[in-house]
Amino acid sequence: MKNLELDLGERSYPIFIARDLLGAPDLWCKYITSQQVCIVTNDTIAPLYLEKLKAQLSDKTVCEVILPDGEAYKTLATLEQIFDTLLEENHNRTTTLIALGGGVVGDMCGFAAACYQRGVRFVQIPSTLLSMVDSSVGGKTGVNHPLGKNMIGAFHQPNCVLADLSLLDTLPEREFSAGLAEVIKYGLICDAPFFEWLEKNITGLMRRDTDLLEEAVYRSCVNKAEVVAEDEREGGRRAILNLGHTFGHAIETAEGYGNWLHGEAVSAGMVLAMALSVELGWLSDDILVRGKMLLQLSGLPVAPPENMDVDQFLQLMGRDKKVLDGRLRLVLLKGLGESVVSSDAPVEMIVQVLRAAGVRA
Ligand code: NAD
Ligand code: GLY
């Protein structure tokens, strides 16, 4: 087993990474201090893992909320289901919510925990690779709005994260690949040795070798924890975690939530961000080629969708949270493992890079 701590003073919390963590409550039960517990999950994950989790909580008063599965349901309307259950079951301010699921469940459960009675405790049990290496760590919670992704939310840190690698046994291949996009992101933005390790081990990782997976999740979480500890509320450095996300969010919004997976959109977006960095003269073409190759070997798309045009990209990117005073701020690379947040790329250059990637005028 591997574990680490996200250091946020009195709001610090542990992240445990191993197989069969659900079956080892001695390790994590102490982080559930309340008698009342509400498990939030969805209708795909519930039949697989809900009973196993509930069996570990037999001394608690447990209720459950089973949400419909899908990014399309990551809305304020769906959130009501959680509040309805908490109120109907008379949950008080000491209650603990448990997110059992991927990033969609985790973001919604975390936001419900941030809002319910102005903030209650919650535990993340991520069940996708993406949620283990990214969304369950760092306290960003929220829901989508028809006009923009993750536009309504709050920072609310969990009290513990349990990355039980055995949950990945049932994860579809496409979802596994989507998670690898965020893993590769850490290598690109801040950890060149990790990128090189990934290049060497991508075949074994794609086979879901346990030791390799444990190492990849651990090193991803170490990188994320280090960035979040330095800049919890994204006043500065944390923005580097959004490499490729401004392009990616435009893709997700244009294609309709859920049609392109978040990790797939981020993968194509990271290639565009690397190409822009090359165009600015900041990154060598060789790193772009290696980055693209690693993403491809991970089963990810490296080009934007064919049905989008340049205006659509620019319009949707302009709505992204990372626009400051009307200028597009993008995460770009100045080398492997060296990222900057910059508004140096002129719109004409962004258009040129989009056109070169096959996006229609
Ligand atoms: P997801 O939560 O939609 O899960 C993907 C699919 O896999 C779903 O159908 C789900 O039901 C299924 N699934 C989950 N675990 C499974 C398992 N163990 N076995 C079988 N099926 C399983 O998607 P995701 O990729 O985990 O998360 C994407 C979401 O995370 C997006 O909404 C994105 O905005 C958000 N996100 C948030 C942050 C953050 O910092 N809060 C960071 C990155 C992404
Ligand atoms: N996934 C980006 C962040 O947590 O800041």
Side-chain angles (χ1 to χ4, degrees):
M1 189 187 76
K2 286 191 163 32
N3 66 293
L4 64 142
E5 172 136 316
L6 202 165
D7 182 5
L8 287 170
E10 61 185 16
R11 287 175 297 107
S12 299
Y13 52 92
I15 300 164
F16 297 104
I17 303 157
R19 283 190 70 86
D20 301 320
L21 280 176
L22 278 194
D26 290 353
L27 197 68
W28 49 265
C29 257
K30 58 175 173 287
Y31 299 97
I32 300 173
T33 48
S34 57
Q35 179 57 31
Q36 293 176 312
V37 173
C38 176
I39 302 172
V40 179
T41 187
N42 74 22
D43 52 15
T44 301
I45 300 154
L48 296 170
Y49 303 112
L50 182 58
E51 286 313 313
K52 181 161 188 189
L53 177 58
K54 279 168 76 178
Q56 317 302 325
L57 297 165
S58 53
D59 58 333
K60 306 278 185 191
T61 310
V62 179
C63 72
E64 66 208 35
V65 182
I66 301 178
L67 303 173
D69 185 3
E71 183 77 34
Y73 296 101
K74 190 178 160 183
T75 61
L76 281 172
T78 308
L79 210 59
E80 295 257 331
Q81 272 189 51
I82 306 177
F83 296 133
D84 288 350
T85 303
L86 290 169
L87 288 163
E88 280 158 18
E89 303 284 331
N90 295 312
H91 278 242
N92 60 43
R93 293 202 65 221
T94 66
T95 191
T96 306
L97 271 55
I98 301 181
L100 174 65
V104 170
V105 165
D107 280 12
M108 280 199 286
C109 177
F111 190 39
C115 300
Y116 187 67
Q117 302 207 14
R118 300 190 183 82
V120 297
R121 292 168 65 87
F122 88 111
V123 167
Q124 287 270 21
I125 307 185
S127 65
T128 61
L129 180 58
L130 183 140
S131 55
M132 289 181 189
V133 300
D134 192 355
S135 61
S136 66
V137 174
K140 277 191 182 176
T141 72
V143 294
N144 299 328
H145 185 277
L147 294 180
K149 200 172 145 53
N150 294 329
M151 280 291 161
I152 299 161
F155 286 97
H156 189 60
Q157 299 293 343
N159 296 91
C160 170
V161 179
L162 297 175
D164 183 337
L165 301 174
S166 44
L167 303 195
L168 298 179
D169 292 351
T170 53
L171 189 69
E173 206 165 308
R174 189 173 163 203
E175 297 291 349
F176 185 80
S177 288
L180 283 175
E182 302 283 4
V183 173
I184 293 166
K185 174 188 81 180
Y186 295 110
L188 290 170
I189 58 170
C190 63
D191 193 346
F194 183 39
F195 183 89
E196 282 154 12
W197 182 89
L198 287 168
E199 286 183 308
K200 284 196 193 83
N201 291 294
I202 190 61
T203 312
L205 267 176
M206 288 295 280
R207 281 199 311 267
R208 307 192 194 188
D209 173 281
T210 296
D211 291 341
L212 295 178
L213 256 181
E214 193 173 278
E215 181 67 11
V217 173
Y218 174 73
R219 287 177 73 166
S220 299
C221 288
V222 167
N223 279 307
K224 177 141 190 190
E226 187 264 318
V227 173
V228 172
E230 192 182 315
D231 177 23
E232 183 184 3
R233 290 184 166 247
E234 203 168 307
R237 181 166 156 76
R238 183 165 178 167
I240 66 168
L241 297 174
N242 296 319
L243 177 69
H245 283 56
T246 305
F247 292 107
H249 284 174
I251 295 172
E252 281 183 283
T253 309
E255 297 300 303
Y257 296 135
N259 291 326
W260 267 58
L261 301 181
H262 178 73
E264 292 171 341
V266 165
S267 173
M270 289 195 297
V271 174
L272 290 167
M274 283 190 280
L276 198 52
S277 309
V278 171
E279 203 54 44
L280 282 159
W282 293 352
L283 189 72
S284 73
D285 202 41
D286 162 60
I287 303 298
L288 169 61
V289 171
R290 283 169 64 192
K292 243 171 131 167
M293 174 64 74
L294 186 54
L295 292 164
Q296 267 170 330
L297 290 172
S298 305
L300 287 161
V302 291
E306 283 169 9
N307 61 351
M308 281 184 77
D309 63 39
V310 168
D311 281 349
Q312 212 177 358
F313 256 105
L314 292 180
Q315 196 204 342
L316 291 168
M317 287 167 78
R319 200 179 279 146
D320 191 275
K321 293 193 286 300
K322 287 160 284 295
V323 178
L324 203 64
D325 301 330
R327 298 197 65 180
L328 264 183
R329 289 169 76 238
L330 296 169
V331 185
L332 299 170
L333 298 186
K334 288 212 156 176
L336 182 59
E338 277 178 63
S339 45
V340 285
V341 183
S342 161
S343 28
D344 284 1
V347 173
E348 303 74 43
M349 193 183 277
I350 297 173
V351 170
Q352 187 189 329
V353 163
L354 286 168
R355 296 282 292 123
V359 178
R360 283 187 281 118

